[in-house]
Tab-separated table of all heavy atoms in Angstrom:
chain	number	residue	atom	x	y	z
A	293	HIS	N	6.620	-25.028	-18.576
A	293	HIS	CA	7.108	-25.438	-19.892
A	293	HIS	C	8.549	-25.014	-20.158
A	293	HIS	O	9.271	-25.697	-20.899
A	293	HIS	CB	6.226	-24.830	-20.989
A	293	HIS	CG	4.865	-25.441	-21.104
A	293	HIS	ND1	4.573	-26.476	-21.963
A	293	HIS	CD2	3.702	-25.166	-20.458
A	293	HIS	CE1	3.296	-26.816	-21.853
A	293	HIS	NE2	2.744	-26.031	-20.941
A	294	LEU	N	8.957	-23.874	-19.600
A	294	LEU	CA	10.227	-23.253	-19.968
A	294	LEU	C	11.107	-23.017	-18.745
A	294	LEU	O	10.596	-22.907	-17.632
A	294	LEU	CB	9.973	-21.902	-20.655
A	294	LEU	CG	9.057	-21.881	-21.875
A	294	LEU	CD1	8.790	-20.447	-22.303
A	294	LEU	CD2	9.679	-22.670	-23.021
A	295	PRO	N	12.424	-22.913	-18.945
A	295	PRO	CA	13.309	-22.561	-17.833
A	295	PRO	C	13.042	-21.138	-17.355
A	295	PRO	O	12.634	-20.270	-18.132
A	295	PRO	CB	14.720	-22.695	-18.431
A	295	PRO	CG	14.518	-22.602	-19.903
A	295	PRO	CD	13.175	-23.181	-20.191
A	296	ILE	N	13.284	-20.891	-16.063
A	296	ILE	CA	12.972	-19.589	-15.475
A	296	ILE	C	13.771	-18.465	-16.119
A	296	ILE	O	13.306	-17.330	-16.211
A	296	ILE	CB	13.195	-19.625	-13.944
A	296	ILE	CG1	12.556	-18.389	-13.290
A	296	ILE	CG2	14.678	-19.745	-13.611
A	296	ILE	CD1	12.531	-18.472	-11.771
A	297	SER	N	14.987	-18.767	-16.612
A	297	SER	CA	15.804	-17.728	-17.243
A	297	SER	C	15.151	-17.197	-18.506
A	297	SER	O	15.175	-15.993	-18.777
A	297	SER	CB	17.200	-18.286	-17.572
A	297	SER	OG	17.093	-19.418	-18.425
A	298	LEU	N	14.544	-18.082	-19.282
A	298	LEU	CA	13.886	-17.652	-20.515
A	298	LEU	C	12.609	-16.877	-20.211
A	298	LEU	O	12.325	-15.854	-20.845
A	298	LEU	CB	13.572	-18.862	-21.390
A	298	LEU	CG	12.881	-18.581	-22.734
A	298	LEU	CD1	13.652	-17.546	-23.535
A	298	LEU	CD2	12.715	-19.862	-23.529
A	299	VAL	N	11.835	-17.336	-19.242
A	299	VAL	CA	10.617	-16.622	-18.853
A	299	VAL	C	10.967	-15.229	-18.341
A	299	VAL	O	10.293	-14.243	-18.659
A	299	VAL	CB	9.841	-17.410	-17.781
A	299	VAL	CG1	8.617	-16.623	-17.323
A	299	VAL	CG2	9.416	-18.770	-18.326
A	300	ALA	N	12.058	-15.128	-17.565
A	300	ALA	CA	12.503	-13.831	-17.059
A	300	ALA	C	12.928	-12.909	-18.195
A	300	ALA	O	12.650	-11.706	-18.174
A	300	ALA	CB	13.658	-14.025	-16.078
A	301	ALA	N	13.589	-13.465	-19.194
A	301	ALA	CA	14.035	-12.663	-20.331
A	301	ALA	C	12.847	-12.070	-21.078
A	301	ALA	O	12.823	-10.877	-21.406
A	301	ALA	CB	14.882	-13.514	-21.270
A	302	ILE	N	11.845	-12.905	-21.338
A	302	ILE	CA	10.673	-12.436	-22.066
A	302	ILE	C	9.885	-11.431	-21.230
A	302	ILE	O	9.357	-10.448	-21.751
A	302	ILE	CB	9.790	-13.638	-22.466
A	302	ILE	CG1	10.547	-14.526	-23.460
A	302	ILE	CG2	8.469	-13.172	-23.074
A	302	ILE	CD1	9.844	-15.833	-23.794
A	303	GLU	N	9.834	-11.659	-19.922
A	303	GLU	CA	9.123	-10.743	-19.031
A	303	GLU	C	9.763	-9.359	-19.055
A	303	GLU	O	9.077	-8.341	-18.983
A	303	GLU	CB	9.145	-11.310	-17.609
A	303	GLU	CG	8.298	-10.538	-16.614
A	303	GLU	CD	8.253	-11.208	-15.260
A	303	GLU	OE1	9.327	-11.414	-14.664
A	303	GLU	OE2	7.146	-11.548	-14.799
A	304	PHE	N	11.088	-9.319	-19.178
A	304	PHE	CA	11.807	-8.050	-19.153
A	304	PHE	C	11.625	-7.262	-20.449
A	304	PHE	O	11.631	-6.027	-20.446
A	304	PHE	CB	13.293	-8.310	-18.906
A	304	PHE	CG	14.165	-7.100	-19.054
A	304	PHE	CD1	14.102	-6.062	-18.138
A	304	PHE	CD2	15.046	-6.985	-20.114
A	304	PHE	CE1	14.900	-4.935	-18.279
A	304	PHE	CE2	15.854	-5.875	-20.261
A	304	PHE	CZ	15.784	-4.842	-19.336
A	305	VAL	N	11.434	-7.962	-21.576
A	305	VAL	CA	11.371	-7.293	-22.881
A	305	VAL	C	10.299	-6.211	-22.926
A	305	VAL	O	10.523	-5.101	-23.418
A	305	VAL	CB	11.137	-8.334	-24.001
A	305	VAL	CG1	10.786	-7.646	-25.311
A	305	VAL	CG2	12.387	-9.193	-24.191
A	306	GLY	N	9.112	-6.508	-22.407
A	306	GLY	CA	8.015	-5.550	-22.490
A	306	GLY	C	8.286	-4.250	-21.760
A	306	GLY	O	7.814	-3.181	-22.170
A	307	THR	N	9.050	-4.326	-20.674
A	307	THR	CA	9.318	-3.118	-19.887
A	307	THR	C	10.334	-2.188	-20.558
A	307	THR	O	10.448	-1.022	-20.160
A	307	THR	CB	9.834	-3.487	-18.492
A	307	THR	OG1	11.081	-4.181	-18.609
A	307	THR	CG2	8.836	-4.373	-17.771
A	308	ILE	N	11.060	-2.703	-21.549
A	308	ILE	CA	12.026	-1.851	-22.250
A	308	ILE	C	11.318	-0.663	-22.887
A	308	ILE	O	11.815	0.465	-22.881
A	308	ILE	CB	12.799	-2.659	-23.319
A	308	ILE	CG1	13.676	-3.720	-22.640
A	308	ILE	CG2	13.656	-1.748	-24.180
A	308	ILE	CD1	14.399	-4.621	-23.616
A	309	GLY	N	10.122	-0.932	-23.441
A	309	GLY	CA	9.365	0.149	-24.080
A	309	GLY	C	9.000	1.245	-23.094
A	309	GLY	O	9.084	2.431	-23.414
A	310	LEU	N	8.602	0.862	-21.866
A	310	LEU	CA	8.278	1.855	-20.847
A	310	LEU	C	9.498	2.692	-20.483
A	310	LEU	O	9.411	3.907	-20.318
A	310	LEU	CB	7.739	1.167	-19.590
A	310	LEU	CG	6.350	0.535	-19.677
A	310	LEU	CD1	6.014	-0.170	-18.368
A	310	LEU	CD2	5.291	1.585	-20.002
A	311	ALA	N	10.643	2.037	-20.363
A	311	ALA	CA	11.865	2.763	-20.016
A	311	ALA	C	12.292	3.679	-21.161
A	311	ALA	O	12.699	4.822	-20.949
A	311	ALA	CB	12.981	1.782	-19.681
A	312	LEU	N	12.189	3.199	-22.397
A	312	LEU	CA	12.598	3.993	-23.552
A	312	LEU	C	11.723	5.235	-23.689
A	312	LEU	O	12.209	6.320	-24.038
A	312	LEU	CB	12.509	3.144	-24.827
A	312	LEU	CG	12.981	3.806	-26.122
A	312	LEU	CD1	14.445	4.205	-26.003
A	312	LEU	CD2	12.789	2.864	-27.298
A	313	TYR	N	10.438	5.072	-23.389
A	313	TYR	CA	9.516	6.210	-23.475
A	313	TYR	C	9.933	7.338	-22.532
A	313	TYR	O	9.709	8.512	-22.811
A	313	TYR	CB	8.098	5.740	-23.135
A	313	TYR	CG	7.072	6.852	-23.142
A	313	TYR	CD1	6.564	7.336	-24.344
A	313	TYR	CD2	6.612	7.405	-21.951
A	313	TYR	CE1	5.625	8.360	-24.360
A	313	TYR	CE2	5.676	8.422	-21.953
A	313	TYR	CZ	5.184	8.893	-23.166
A	313	TYR	OH	4.254	9.908	-23.167
A	314	GLY	N	10.554	6.965	-21.420
A	314	GLY	CA	10.920	7.974	-20.437
A	314	GLY	C	12.322	8.536	-20.598
A	314	GLY	O	12.760	9.319	-19.753
A	315	VAL	N	13.047	8.157	-21.644
A	315	VAL	CA	14.397	8.691	-21.845
A	315	VAL	C	14.288	10.131	-22.343
A	315	VAL	O	13.867	10.380	-23.462
A	315	VAL	CB	15.190	7.829	-22.865
A	315	VAL	CG1	16.530	8.481	-23.172
A	315	VAL	CG2	15.411	6.442	-22.302
A	316	ARG	N	14.658	11.088	-21.503
A	316	ARG	CA	14.496	12.501	-21.835
A	316	ARG	C	15.826	13.247	-21.923
A	316	ARG	O	15.851	14.389	-22.336
A	316	ARG	CB	13.629	13.182	-20.773
A	316	ARG	CG	12.278	12.539	-20.552
A	316	ARG	CD	11.362	12.710	-21.733
A	316	ARG	NE	10.017	12.213	-21.435
A	316	ARG	CZ	9.046	12.157	-22.330
A	316	ARG	NH1	9.258	12.553	-23.569
A	316	ARG	NH2	7.858	11.709	-21.992
A	317	SER	N	16.916	12.631	-21.502
A	317	SER	CA	18.189	13.327	-21.486
A	317	SER	C	19.288	12.412	-21.999
A	317	SER	O	19.121	11.187	-22.070
A	317	SER	CB	18.523	13.774	-20.053
A	317	SER	OG	18.743	12.646	-19.228
């Protein structure tokens, strides 16, 4: 349904939370 760039963008959004959780310094 969608271009691969948009699907990739949405796929990346969820992982931001995992990375933010691990910011310790």
Side-chain angles (χ1 to χ4, degrees):
H293 288 267
L294 305 173
I296 194 170
S297 58
L298 180 53
V299 177
I302 295 173
E303 187 175 58
F304 172 69
V305 168
T307 63
I308 294 176
L310 289 177
L312 183 60
Y313 178 78
V315 174
R316 305 292 186 185
S317 66

